[in-house]
């Protein structure tokens, strides 16, 4: 019985921390090679719940964020910044691809939050930024919105998972 419990615990732990590619195909219309990771939770705080996934379309990298700030309506403008502070104090600045506003359920990746205001935005990641992010851990993020900006601490375990997910696109 003890061995069965240990095996089940090991499998559950591996499953919870496993990162995987959810899409990897050639689009039949555009002929673009599309590769995406699963959605992963980044922060779960009173002020913000955020999730992310990474995408690579041909040779262009992206991070897609889903953000919920309670029942607050907000928008993120085209070229608004997502700033990533690395553990070595370096700052990586990404730009939002297009103007986006909140909608009901848009910040949710499942049932939780599906009735709340949220937003789904994408930021470009250059090849140089990609290399920097795969070699350095993120410690904090700053998200600019129409209301203000929000700073969020990234826990070490979440930062390690984020970095592993990003490396899956190689």
């Amino acid at each position: 019985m003890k061995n069965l419990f240990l095996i089940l615990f090991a499998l559950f732990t591996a499953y919870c921390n496993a990162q995987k590619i959810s899409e990897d195909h050639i689009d039949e219309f555009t002929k673009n090679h599309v590769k995406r990771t699963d959605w992963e939770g980044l922060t779960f705080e009173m002020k913000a719940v955020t999730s992310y996934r990474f995408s690579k379309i041909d040779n262009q990298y992206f991070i897609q964020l889903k953000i919920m700030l309670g029942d607050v309506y907000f928008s993120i403008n085209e070229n608004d910044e997502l700033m990533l502070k690395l553990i070595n104090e370096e700052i990586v600045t990404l730009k939002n691809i297009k103007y986006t506003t909140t909608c009901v359920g848009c910040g949710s990746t499942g049932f939780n939050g599906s009735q709340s205001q949220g937003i789904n935005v994408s930021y470009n990641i250059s090849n140089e930024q990609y290399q920097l992010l795969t070699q350095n851990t993120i410690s904090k993020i700053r998200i600019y919105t129409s209301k203000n900006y929000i700073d969020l601490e990234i826990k070490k375990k979440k930062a390690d998972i984020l970095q592993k997910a990003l490396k899956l696109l190689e």
Side-chain angles (χ1 to χ4, degrees):
M1 189 65 163
K2 182 179 177 184
N3 288 339
L4 176 63
F5 175 77
L6 290 174
I7 291 170
L8 289 174
F9 180 76
L11 289 172
F12 178 76
T13 303
Y15 173 77
C16 288
N17 290 322
Q19 288 296 304
K20 65 180 183 178
I21 297 294
S22 63
E23 289 181 53
D24 189 0
H25 67 277
I26 305 293
D27 184 282
E28 65 181 297
F29 290 97
T30 64
K31 305 300 183 212
N32 291 332
H33 183 197
V34 178
K35 199 172 191 180
R36 286 195 172 94
T37 64
D38 281 336
W39 284 101
E40 182 69 37
L42 186 60
T43 62
F44 190 80
E45 301 177 13
M46 290 294 289
K47 62 181 175 179
V49 175
T50 60
S51 299
Y52 69 91
R53 74 175 176 181
F54 292 106
S55 298
K56 181 180 180 185
I57 300 174
D58 287 334
N59 292 317
Q60 179 60 56
Y61 297 96
F62 304 91
I63 183 171
Q64 191 173 353
L65 288 180
K66 290 194 174 203
I67 307 162
M68 293 184 288
L69 303 176
D71 240 3
V72 176
Y73 297 93
F74 63 96
S75 63
I76 298 179
N77 293 313
E78 182 177 355
N79 292 321
D80 274 357
E81 296 176 342
L82 170 66
M83 299 178 82
L84 309 171
K85 184 175 183 182
L86 306 179
I87 202 101
N88 65 2
E89 300 293 316
E90 192 167 351
I91 305 295
V92 175
T93 303
L94 308 177
K95 302 283 185 173
N96 182 34
I97 294 173
K98 68 178 183 175
Y99 173 78
T100 309
T101 61
T102 58
C103 59
V104 174
C106 291
S108 172
T109 58
F111 182 73
N112 286 341
S114 62
Q115 297 300 311
S116 299
Q117 288 294 318
I119 200 165
N120 182 347
V121 291
S122 295
Y123 298 85
N124 283 318
I125 303 173
S126 71
N127 289 334
E128 296 79 23
Q129 290 169 326
Y130 175 81
Q131 293 303 319
L132 196 57
L133 293 171
T134 58
Q135 297 168 7
N136 297 281
T137 305
I138 297 171
S139 62
K140 195 172 189 179
I141 66 172
R142 174 174 285 177
I143 305 166
Y144 284 90
T145 73
S146 59
K147 298 283 185 188
N148 207 342
Y149 64 82
I150 186 164
D151 288 339
L152 300 167
E153 297 282 335
I154 307 302
K155 294 180 180 170
K156 173 79 169 109
K157 182 177 177 181
K158 294 288 187 181
D160 290 343
I161 293 170
L162 183 144
Q163 195 171 29
K164 287 176 186 173
L166 190 56
K167 288 179 181 180
L168 287 174
L169 297 179
E170 293 178 338

